[in-house]
Each structure stands twice: as structure tokens, then as C-alpha cells.
Short mmCIF file of all heavy atoms in Angstrom, two decimals:
data_model
loop_
_atom_site.label_atom_id
_atom_site.label_comp_id
_atom_site.label_asym_id
_atom_site.label_seq_id
_atom_site.Cartn_x
_atom_site.Cartn_y
_atom_site.Cartn_z
N MET A 1 -88.83 -12.14 55.08
CA MET A 1 -89.27 -10.79 54.77
C MET A 1 -90.05 -10.77 53.45
O MET A 1 -89.58 -11.34 52.48
CB MET A 1 -88.06 -9.91 54.54
CG MET A 1 -87.43 -9.14 55.63
SD MET A 1 -87.96 -7.79 56.54
CE MET A 1 -88.20 -6.43 55.57
N PRO A 2 -91.20 -10.13 53.44
CA PRO A 2 -91.93 -10.06 52.17
C PRO A 2 -91.29 -9.06 51.22
O PRO A 2 -90.49 -8.21 51.63
CB PRO A 2 -93.32 -9.58 52.60
CG PRO A 2 -93.10 -8.86 53.86
CD PRO A 2 -91.94 -9.54 54.53
N LYS A 3 -91.66 -9.20 49.96
CA LYS A 3 -91.17 -8.25 48.96
C LYS A 3 -91.80 -6.88 49.21
O LYS A 3 -92.90 -6.78 49.74
CB LYS A 3 -91.55 -8.72 47.57
CG LYS A 3 -90.85 -9.97 47.12
CD LYS A 3 -91.32 -10.31 45.72
CE LYS A 3 -90.76 -11.64 45.28
NZ LYS A 3 -91.30 -12.03 43.98
N ILE A 4 -91.08 -5.83 48.82
CA ILE A 4 -91.60 -4.46 48.96
C ILE A 4 -92.24 -4.07 47.63
O ILE A 4 -91.68 -4.31 46.56
CB ILE A 4 -90.46 -3.47 49.30
CG1 ILE A 4 -89.72 -3.94 50.54
CG2 ILE A 4 -91.00 -2.07 49.50
CD1 ILE A 4 -88.39 -3.25 50.76
N LYS A 5 -93.42 -3.48 47.72
CA LYS A 5 -94.10 -3.05 46.50
C LYS A 5 -93.51 -1.75 45.99
O LYS A 5 -93.23 -0.84 46.77
CB LYS A 5 -95.60 -2.87 46.75
CG LYS A 5 -96.36 -4.17 46.80
CD LYS A 5 -97.85 -3.91 46.74
CE LYS A 5 -98.60 -5.22 46.66
NZ LYS A 5 -100.05 -4.98 46.57
N THR A 6 -93.36 -1.67 44.68
CA THR A 6 -92.91 -0.44 44.02
C THR A 6 -94.12 0.44 43.79
O THR A 6 -95.18 -0.04 43.39
CB THR A 6 -92.26 -0.79 42.67
OG1 THR A 6 -91.12 -1.61 42.90
CG2 THR A 6 -91.83 0.46 41.93
N LYS A 7 -93.97 1.74 44.04
CA LYS A 7 -95.03 2.69 43.71
C LYS A 7 -95.02 2.87 42.20
O LYS A 7 -94.08 3.42 41.63
CB LYS A 7 -94.79 4.04 44.41
CG LYS A 7 -94.84 3.95 45.93
CD LYS A 7 -96.29 3.82 46.41
CE LYS A 7 -96.40 3.78 47.91
NZ LYS A 7 -96.28 2.45 48.47
N ARG A 8 -96.07 2.37 41.54
CA ARG A 8 -96.10 2.34 40.08
C ARG A 8 -96.10 3.73 39.46
O ARG A 8 -95.54 3.93 38.38
CB ARG A 8 -97.32 1.55 39.58
CG ARG A 8 -97.33 0.08 40.01
CD ARG A 8 -96.03 -0.65 39.71
NE ARG A 8 -95.74 -0.69 38.29
CZ ARG A 8 -94.55 -0.95 37.78
NH1 ARG A 8 -93.52 -1.18 38.57
NH2 ARG A 8 -94.35 -0.96 36.49
N ALA A 9 -96.73 4.70 40.12
CA ALA A 9 -96.74 6.07 39.60
C ALA A 9 -95.32 6.61 39.49
O ALA A 9 -94.97 7.27 38.50
CB ALA A 9 -97.58 6.96 40.49
N ALA A 10 -94.50 6.32 40.49
CA ALA A 10 -93.10 6.78 40.48
C ALA A 10 -92.28 6.01 39.45
O ALA A 10 -91.43 6.58 38.77
CB ALA A 10 -92.49 6.62 41.86
N ALA A 11 -92.56 4.73 39.30
CA ALA A 11 -91.81 3.90 38.35
C ALA A 11 -92.02 4.36 36.92
O ALA A 11 -91.13 4.24 36.07
CB ALA A 11 -92.23 2.45 38.50
N LYS A 12 -93.21 4.90 36.63
CA LYS A 12 -93.50 5.39 35.28
C LYS A 12 -92.84 6.74 35.01
O LYS A 12 -92.63 7.10 33.86
CB LYS A 12 -95.01 5.53 35.09
CG LYS A 12 -95.71 4.18 35.02
CD LYS A 12 -97.21 4.33 35.15
CE LYS A 12 -97.86 2.96 35.30
NZ LYS A 12 -99.31 3.07 35.58
N ARG A 13 -92.53 7.49 36.05
CA ARG A 13 -91.99 8.84 35.88
C ARG A 13 -90.48 8.93 36.01
O ARG A 13 -89.88 9.90 35.54
CB ARG A 13 -92.63 9.78 36.91
CG ARG A 13 -94.07 10.12 36.60
CD ARG A 13 -94.74 10.76 37.78
NE ARG A 13 -96.08 11.24 37.47
CZ ARG A 13 -97.16 10.47 37.46
NH1 ARG A 13 -97.06 9.18 37.74
NH2 ARG A 13 -98.34 10.97 37.17
N PHE A 14 -89.86 7.98 36.67
CA PHE A 14 -88.42 8.02 36.91
C PHE A 14 -87.75 6.78 36.36
O PHE A 14 -88.32 5.69 36.41
CB PHE A 14 -88.14 8.10 38.42
CG PHE A 14 -88.65 9.36 39.07
CD1 PHE A 14 -89.93 9.41 39.59
CD2 PHE A 14 -87.85 10.48 39.17
CE1 PHE A 14 -90.42 10.56 40.19
CE2 PHE A 14 -88.32 11.64 39.77
CZ PHE A 14 -89.61 11.68 40.27
N SER A 15 -86.54 6.96 35.85
CA SER A 15 -85.73 5.81 35.43
C SER A 15 -84.33 5.98 35.99
O SER A 15 -83.90 7.11 36.28
CB SER A 15 -85.70 5.69 33.92
OG SER A 15 -85.15 6.86 33.34
N VAL A 16 -83.63 4.88 36.14
CA VAL A 16 -82.31 4.90 36.76
C VAL A 16 -81.24 4.88 35.67
O VAL A 16 -81.34 4.11 34.70
CB VAL A 16 -82.14 3.69 37.70
CG1 VAL A 16 -80.78 3.72 38.39
CG2 VAL A 16 -83.24 3.67 38.73
N THR A 17 -80.25 5.74 35.81
CA THR A 17 -79.14 5.78 34.86
C THR A 17 -78.13 4.68 35.21
O THR A 17 -78.27 4.01 36.23
CB THR A 17 -78.43 7.15 34.90
OG1 THR A 17 -77.88 7.34 36.20
CG2 THR A 17 -79.40 8.27 34.57
N GLY A 18 -77.14 4.53 34.38
CA GLY A 18 -76.11 3.52 34.61
C GLY A 18 -75.33 3.72 35.89
O GLY A 18 -74.87 2.76 36.51
N THR A 19 -75.18 4.98 36.31
CA THR A 19 -74.43 5.28 37.53
C THR A 19 -75.31 5.28 38.77
O THR A 19 -74.84 5.58 39.86
CB THR A 19 -73.72 6.64 37.41
OG1 THR A 19 -74.69 7.63 37.07
CG2 THR A 19 -72.64 6.60 36.35
N GLY A 20 -76.62 5.01 38.61
CA GLY A 20 -77.52 4.93 39.75
C GLY A 20 -78.28 6.21 40.06
O GLY A 20 -79.00 6.27 41.05
N LYS A 21 -78.12 7.23 39.22
CA LYS A 21 -78.87 8.47 39.45
C LYS A 21 -80.27 8.32 38.87
O LYS A 21 -80.51 7.49 37.99
CB LYS A 21 -78.16 9.64 38.77
CG LYS A 21 -76.81 9.97 39.37
CD LYS A 21 -76.13 11.07 38.60
CE LYS A 21 -74.76 11.37 39.17
NZ LYS A 21 -74.04 12.33 38.34
N LEU A 22 -81.20 9.13 39.38
CA LEU A 22 -82.58 9.08 38.91
C LEU A 22 -82.82 10.14 37.83
O LEU A 22 -82.53 11.32 38.05
CB LEU A 22 -83.54 9.29 40.07
CG LEU A 22 -83.64 8.13 41.05
CD1 LEU A 22 -84.39 8.55 42.29
CD2 LEU A 22 -84.32 6.93 40.41
N LYS A 23 -83.35 9.69 36.70
CA LYS A 23 -83.62 10.58 35.58
C LYS A 23 -85.12 10.87 35.56
O LYS A 23 -85.92 9.98 35.80
CB LYS A 23 -83.20 9.88 34.28
CG LYS A 23 -83.16 10.76 33.07
CD LYS A 23 -82.45 10.09 31.91
CE LYS A 23 -83.22 8.88 31.42
NZ LYS A 23 -82.68 8.33 30.17
N ARG A 24 -85.47 12.14 35.29
CA ARG A 24 -86.88 12.53 35.27
C ARG A 24 -87.13 13.47 34.10
O ARG A 24 -86.20 14.04 33.53
CB ARG A 24 -87.25 13.24 36.57
CG ARG A 24 -86.51 14.54 36.77
CD ARG A 24 -87.02 15.36 37.93
NE ARG A 24 -86.23 16.56 38.11
CZ ARG A 24 -86.40 17.70 37.45
NH1 ARG A 24 -87.34 17.78 36.53
NH2 ARG A 24 -85.65 18.74 37.69
N ALA A 25 -88.40 13.63 33.77
CA ALA A 25 -88.79 14.57 32.73
C ALA A 25 -89.05 15.92 33.38
O ALA A 25 -89.41 15.99 34.56
CB ALA A 25 -90.03 14.08 32.02
N LYS A 26 -88.87 16.99 32.61
CA LYS A 26 -89.11 18.33 33.14
C LYS A 26 -90.59 18.68 33.06
O LYS A 26 -91.32 18.17 32.20
CB LYS A 26 -88.28 19.35 32.37
CG LYS A 26 -86.79 19.24 32.68
CD LYS A 26 -86.00 20.26 31.91
CE LYS A 26 -84.51 20.07 32.18
NZ LYS A 26 -83.71 20.94 31.32
N ALA A 27 -91.03 19.56 33.95
CA ALA A 27 -92.43 19.98 34.00
C ALA A 27 -92.66 21.17 33.07
O ALA A 27 -91.72 21.67 32.45
CB ALA A 27 -92.79 20.36 35.43
N PHE A 28 -93.90 21.63 33.00
CA PHE A 28 -94.32 22.82 32.23
C PHE A 28 -94.23 22.63 30.72
O PHE A 28 -93.98 23.57 29.99
CB PHE A 28 -93.53 24.07 32.66
CG PHE A 28 -93.53 24.30 34.14
CD1 PHE A 28 -92.39 24.09 34.89
CD2 PHE A 28 -94.69 24.70 34.78
CE1 PHE A 28 -92.39 24.29 36.26
CE2 PHE A 28 -94.71 24.92 36.15
CZ PHE A 28 -93.56 24.71 36.89
N LYS A 29 -94.46 21.42 30.22
CA LYS A 29 -94.38 21.17 28.78
C LYS A 29 -95.69 20.62 28.23
O LYS A 29 -95.76 20.19 27.09
CB LYS A 29 -93.21 20.20 28.50
CG LYS A 29 -92.89 19.91 27.06
CD LYS A 29 -92.35 21.11 26.32
CE LYS A 29 -91.86 20.77 24.93
NZ LYS A 29 -92.93 20.48 23.98
N SER A 30 -96.77 20.62 29.02
CA SER A 30 -98.00 19.96 28.57
C SER A 30 -98.99 20.88 27.88
O SER A 30 -99.61 20.49 26.90
CB SER A 30 -98.68 19.27 29.75
OG SER A 30 -98.93 20.20 30.78
N HIS A 31 -99.14 22.10 28.35
CA HIS A 31 -100.09 23.03 27.71
C HIS A 31 -99.67 24.47 27.96
O HIS A 31 -98.67 24.71 28.65
CB HIS A 31 -101.53 22.78 28.20
CG HIS A 31 -101.69 22.95 29.68
ND1 HIS A 31 -101.97 24.15 30.29
CD2 HIS A 31 -101.55 22.06 30.70
CE1 HIS A 31 -102.04 23.97 31.60
NE2 HIS A 31 -101.77 22.73 31.89
N ILE A 32 -100.40 25.41 27.39
CA ILE A 32 -100.07 26.85 27.40
C ILE A 32 -98.65 27.04 26.85
O ILE A 32 -97.77 27.63 27.49
CB ILE A 32 -100.23 27.49 28.80
CG1 ILE A 32 -101.49 27.03 29.49
CG2 ILE A 32 -100.24 29.01 28.69
CD1 ILE A 32 -101.63 27.51 30.93
N LEU A 33 -98.43 26.52 25.64
CA LEU A 33 -97.10 26.56 25.04
C LEU A 33 -96.89 27.76 24.13
O LEU A 33 -95.76 28.02 23.71
CB LEU A 33 -96.85 25.26 24.26
CG LEU A 33 -96.87 23.97 25.09
CD1 LEU A 33 -96.83 22.77 24.19
CD2 LEU A 33 -95.74 23.93 26.09
N THR A 34 -97.95 28.50 23.83
CA THR A 34 -97.81 29.61 22.88
C THR A 34 -96.97 30.76 23.43
O THR A 34 -96.24 31.39 22.68
CB THR A 34 -99.19 30.14 22.47
OG1 THR A 34 -99.95 30.41 23.65
CG2 THR A 34 -99.93 29.15 21.60
N LYS A 35 -97.07 31.01 24.71
CA LYS A 35 -96.30 32.11 25.30
C LYS A 35 -94.87 31.74 25.66
O LYS A 35 -94.08 32.61 26.00
CB LYS A 35 -97.03 32.68 26.52
CG LYS A 35 -97.19 31.69 27.67
CD LYS A 35 -97.83 32.34 28.88
CE LYS A 35 -99.33 32.41 28.74
NZ LYS A 35 -99.98 32.78 30.01
N LYS A 36 -94.55 30.46 25.60
CA LYS A 36 -93.19 30.02 25.91
C LYS A 36 -92.33 30.07 24.64
O LYS A 36 -92.80 29.72 23.56
CB LYS A 36 -93.22 28.60 26.48
CG LYS A 36 -93.89 28.55 27.83
CD LYS A 36 -94.15 27.15 28.31
CE LYS A 36 -95.02 27.20 29.55
NZ LYS A 36 -95.71 25.97 29.80
N THR A 37 -91.09 30.46 24.80
CA THR A 37 -90.20 30.59 23.65
C THR A 37 -89.81 29.21 23.13
O THR A 37 -89.86 28.21 23.87
CB THR A 37 -88.92 31.37 24.02
OG1 THR A 37 -88.21 30.64 25.01
CG2 THR A 37 -89.25 32.76 24.52
N THR A 38 -89.38 29.16 21.88
CA THR A 38 -88.94 27.91 21.26
C THR A 38 -87.75 27.33 22.02
O THR A 38 -87.67 26.13 22.23
CB THR A 38 -88.56 28.16 19.79
OG1 THR A 38 -89.62 28.87 19.17
CG2 THR A 38 -88.34 26.87 19.06
N LYS A 39 -86.85 28.21 22.44
CA LYS A 39 -85.66 27.78 23.18
C LYS A 39 -86.05 27.12 24.50
O LYS A 39 -85.50 26.09 24.89
CB LYS A 39 -84.75 28.98 23.42
CG LYS A 39 -83.46 28.65 24.15
CD LYS A 39 -82.63 29.90 24.39
CE LYS A 39 -81.38 29.57 25.18
NZ LYS A 39 -80.61 30.80 25.44
N ARG A 40 -87.00 27.75 25.18
CA ARG A 40 -87.46 27.23 26.47
C ARG A 40 -88.12 25.86 26.31
O ARG A 40 -87.87 24.92 27.08
CB ARG A 40 -88.42 28.23 27.10
CG ARG A 40 -88.88 27.87 28.49
CD ARG A 40 -89.71 29.01 29.05
NE ARG A 40 -90.49 28.58 30.19
CZ ARG A 40 -91.50 29.27 30.70
NH1 ARG A 40 -91.85 30.43 30.18
NH2 ARG A 40 -92.17 28.82 31.74
N LYS A 41 -88.97 25.73 25.29
CA LYS A 41 -89.66 24.46 25.04
C LYS A 41 -88.67 23.36 24.64
O LYS A 41 -88.82 22.21 25.05
CB LYS A 41 -90.71 24.64 23.94
CG LYS A 41 -91.92 25.43 24.40
CD LYS A 41 -92.99 25.48 23.35
CE LYS A 41 -92.72 26.50 22.29
NZ LYS A 41 -93.87 26.73 21.40
N ARG A 42 -87.65 23.75 23.87
CA ARG A 42 -86.64 22.78 23.44
C ARG A 42 -85.86 22.27 24.65
O ARG A 42 -85.57 21.08 24.75
CB ARG A 42 -85.70 23.45 22.44
CG ARG A 42 -84.68 22.52 21.81
CD ARG A 42 -83.97 23.15 20.62
NE ARG A 42 -83.28 24.38 20.97
CZ ARG A 42 -83.61 25.58 20.49
NH1 ARG A 42 -84.63 25.74 19.67
NH2 ARG A 42 -82.92 26.65 20.83
N ASN A 43 -85.53 23.16 25.58
CA ASN A 43 -84.80 22.75 26.79
C ASN A 43 -85.65 21.91 27.72
O ASN A 43 -85.12 21.10 28.49
CB ASN A 43 -84.25 23.98 27.52
CG ASN A 43 -83.05 24.58 26.82
OD1 ASN A 43 -82.25 23.84 26.23
ND2 ASN A 43 -82.92 25.88 26.84
N LEU A 44 -86.97 22.08 27.68
CA LEU A 44 -87.86 21.27 28.52
C LEU A 44 -87.96 19.83 28.04
O LEU A 44 -88.37 18.96 28.79
CB LEU A 44 -89.25 21.91 28.56
CG LEU A 44 -89.39 23.19 29.38
CD1 LEU A 44 -90.75 23.81 29.15
CD2 LEU A 44 -89.16 22.93 30.85
N ARG A 45 -87.59 19.59 26.77
CA ARG A 45 -87.61 18.22 26.24
C ARG A 45 -86.53 17.34 26.86
O ARG A 45 -86.71 16.14 26.97
CB ARG A 45 -87.37 18.25 24.72
CG ARG A 45 -88.57 18.56 23.91
CD ARG A 45 -88.23 18.38 22.43
NE ARG A 45 -88.73 19.50 21.66
CZ ARG A 45 -88.08 20.11 20.68
NH1 ARG A 45 -86.85 19.74 20.36
NH2 ARG A 45 -88.64 21.10 20.03
N LYS A 46 -85.43 17.95 27.22
CA LYS A 46 -84.28 17.19 27.72
C LYS A 46 -84.56 16.63 29.11
O LYS A 46 -85.19 17.29 29.93
CB LYS A 46 -83.05 18.09 27.76
CG LYS A 46 -82.65 18.63 26.40
CD LYS A 46 -81.60 19.69 26.54
CE LYS A 46 -81.31 20.33 25.18
NZ LYS A 46 -80.42 21.47 25.31
N PRO A 47 -84.08 15.43 29.40
CA PRO A 47 -84.28 14.88 30.74
C PRO A 47 -83.40 15.60 31.77
O PRO A 47 -82.40 16.22 31.42
CB PRO A 47 -83.86 13.41 30.60
CG PRO A 47 -82.95 13.39 29.44
CD PRO A 47 -83.38 14.49 28.51
N ALA A 48 -83.81 15.49 33.02
CA ALA A 48 -83.06 16.11 34.12
C ALA A 48 -82.76 15.05 35.18
O ALA A 48 -83.44 14.03 35.25
CB ALA A 48 -83.87 17.24 34.74
N ILE A 49 -81.75 15.31 35.97
CA ILE A 49 -81.39 14.42 37.07
C ILE A 49 -82.14 14.89 38.32
O ILE A 49 -82.19 16.09 38.59
CB ILE A 49 -79.87 14.42 37.31
CG1 ILE A 49 -79.12 13.94 36.05
CG2 ILE A 49 -79.49 13.57 38.51
CD1 ILE A 49 -79.40 12.52 35.63
N THR A 50 -82.72 13.95 39.06
CA THR A 50 -83.45 14.28 40.28
C THR A 50 -82.49 14.90 41.30
O THR A 50 -81.37 14.43 41.47
CB THR A 50 -84.10 13.02 40.86
OG1 THR A 50 -84.91 12.43 39.85
CG2 THR A 50 -84.99 13.34 42.05
N ASP A 51 -82.95 15.93 41.99
CA ASP A 51 -82.13 16.64 42.96
C ASP A 51 -81.75 15.72 44.13
O ASP A 51 -82.52 14.83 44.51
CB ASP A 51 -82.90 17.86 43.48
CG ASP A 51 -81.98 18.83 44.19
OD1 ASP A 51 -81.07 19.37 43.55
OD2 ASP A 51 -82.17 19.03 45.40
N ALA A 52 -80.58 15.94 44.70
CA ALA A 52 -80.06 15.10 45.78
C ALA A 52 -80.96 15.11 47.02
O ALA A 52 -81.00 14.12 47.76
CB ALA A 52 -78.65 15.57 46.15
N THR A 53 -81.70 16.21 47.23
CA THR A 53 -82.57 16.29 48.41
C THR A 53 -83.76 15.34 48.32
O THR A 53 -84.33 14.98 49.33
CB THR A 53 -83.10 17.72 48.58
OG1 THR A 53 -83.74 18.13 47.38
CG2 THR A 53 -81.98 18.68 48.91
N ASN A 54 -84.13 14.92 47.10
CA ASN A 54 -85.28 14.03 46.92
C ASN A 54 -84.90 12.57 46.73
O ASN A 54 -85.77 11.70 46.75
CB ASN A 54 -86.09 14.48 45.69
CG ASN A 54 -86.64 15.87 45.87
OD1 ASN A 54 -87.06 16.25 46.95
ND2 ASN A 54 -86.61 16.64 44.81
N VAL A 55 -83.63 12.28 46.54
CA VAL A 55 -83.20 10.93 46.19
C VAL A 55 -83.54 9.92 47.28
O VAL A 55 -83.99 8.80 47.00
CB VAL A 55 -81.69 10.90 45.85
CG1 VAL A 55 -81.17 9.48 45.75
CG2 VAL A 55 -81.46 11.63 44.55
N LYS A 56 -83.38 10.29 48.54
CA LYS A 56 -83.65 9.36 49.65
C LYS A 56 -85.10 8.90 49.63
O LYS A 56 -85.38 7.70 49.78
CB LYS A 56 -83.32 10.05 50.97
CG LYS A 56 -83.39 9.13 52.17
CD LYS A 56 -83.07 9.87 53.47
CE LYS A 56 -83.33 9.00 54.66
NZ LYS A 56 -83.18 9.75 55.92
N ASN A 57 -86.04 9.84 49.44
CA ASN A 57 -87.45 9.48 49.38
C ASN A 57 -87.77 8.67 48.13
O ASN A 57 -88.59 7.75 48.17
CB ASN A 57 -88.32 10.74 49.40
CG ASN A 57 -88.31 11.40 50.76
OD1 ASN A 57 -88.18 10.74 51.79
ND2 ASN A 57 -88.42 12.71 50.77
N MET A 58 -87.11 8.97 47.02
CA MET A 58 -87.38 8.26 45.78
C MET A 58 -86.90 6.81 45.86
O MET A 58 -87.51 5.91 45.30
CB MET A 58 -86.70 8.96 44.60
CG MET A 58 -87.30 10.30 44.23
SD MET A 58 -89.10 10.33 44.15
CE MET A 58 -89.39 9.09 42.94
N LYS A 59 -85.81 6.57 46.55
CA LYS A 59 -85.29 5.20 46.71
C LYS A 59 -86.25 4.35 47.54
O LYS A 59 -86.29 3.13 47.39
CB LYS A 59 -83.91 5.22 47.36
CG LYS A 59 -82.82 5.85 46.51
CD LYS A 59 -82.40 4.98 45.36
CE LYS A 59 -81.27 5.61 44.57
NZ LYS A 59 -80.86 4.81 43.41
N LYS A 60 -87.03 4.99 48.43
CA LYS A 60 -88.02 4.26 49.22
C LYS A 60 -89.19 3.79 48.35
O LYS A 60 -89.65 2.66 48.49
CB LYS A 60 -88.58 5.15 50.34
CG LYS A 60 -87.70 5.24 51.56
CD LYS A 60 -88.36 6.07 52.64
CE LYS A 60 -87.41 6.31 53.81
NZ LYS A 60 -87.98 7.26 54.78
N VAL A 61 -89.65 4.66 47.47
CA VAL A 61 -90.80 4.30 46.62
C VAL A 61 -90.37 3.45 45.42
O VAL A 61 -91.21 2.81 44.79
CB VAL A 61 -91.58 5.54 46.16
CG1 VAL A 61 -92.22 6.25 47.32
CG2 VAL A 61 -90.75 6.49 45.34
N LEU A 62 -89.08 3.44 45.12
CA LEU A 62 -88.53 2.60 44.05
C LEU A 62 -87.47 1.65 44.64
O LEU A 62 -86.28 1.83 44.40
CB LEU A 62 -87.90 3.47 42.96
CG LEU A 62 -88.83 4.44 42.24
CD1 LEU A 62 -88.03 5.43 41.44
CD2 LEU A 62 -89.81 3.70 41.36
N PRO A 63 -87.88 0.67 45.42
CA PRO A 63 -86.91 -0.15 46.15
C PRO A 63 -85.99 -0.99 45.26
O PRO A 63 -84.89 -1.32 45.66
CB PRO A 63 -87.77 -1.04 47.04
CG PRO A 63 -89.09 -1.07 46.38
CD PRO A 63 -89.25 0.24 45.70
N TYR A 64 -86.45 -1.33 44.05
CA TYR A 64 -85.64 -2.21 43.19
C TYR A 64 -84.99 -1.44 42.05
O TYR A 64 -84.49 -2.03 41.09
CB TYR A 64 -86.49 -3.35 42.67
CG TYR A 64 -87.06 -4.17 43.82
CD1 TYR A 64 -88.39 -4.05 44.17
CD2 TYR A 64 -86.24 -4.99 44.58
CE1 TYR A 64 -88.91 -4.77 45.25
CE2 TYR A 64 -86.74 -5.71 45.65
CZ TYR A 64 -88.07 -5.59 45.99
OH TYR A 64 -88.57 -6.28 47.05
N ALA A 65 -84.99 -0.13 42.13
CA ALA A 65 -84.38 0.69 41.06
C ALA A 65 -82.89 0.79 41.25
O ALA A 65 -82.37 0.67 42.34
CB ALA A 65 -85.00 2.08 41.09
#
């Protein structure tokens, strides 16, 4: 069996935690930040865990994660 290629775009955006969950960055933090509150922007900095509905597809594009 040949090796499976990792989707590099996904590998740059997701990382695996020690327990095997997928960690991701939150969206809406790149521009138009003046109208967003400081609290909201601060919470967007924190990483989030990928939702369970997407994990199956993510494991396909990240076979060695």
C-alpha cells in the first residue's frame, strides 16, 4: 500500500492534542476589528476544539495526525 498524502492546508490549520482531539484557531480575527469588543477579540485568540461532526472528515485529510 502506498503512503497517503496529507492535505498540507489542513496540516497548517489544525494540530492534535495529547488526547487526540483536533485543535483549531477561531475565525473572525483578521480584519474589521474596530467594531468588535475587546472581550470578543480576546476570546477569539484562544484555540478551540474541532466539533465532533467534522472530526471524521478531518482524520481523512490528516491521516498521520
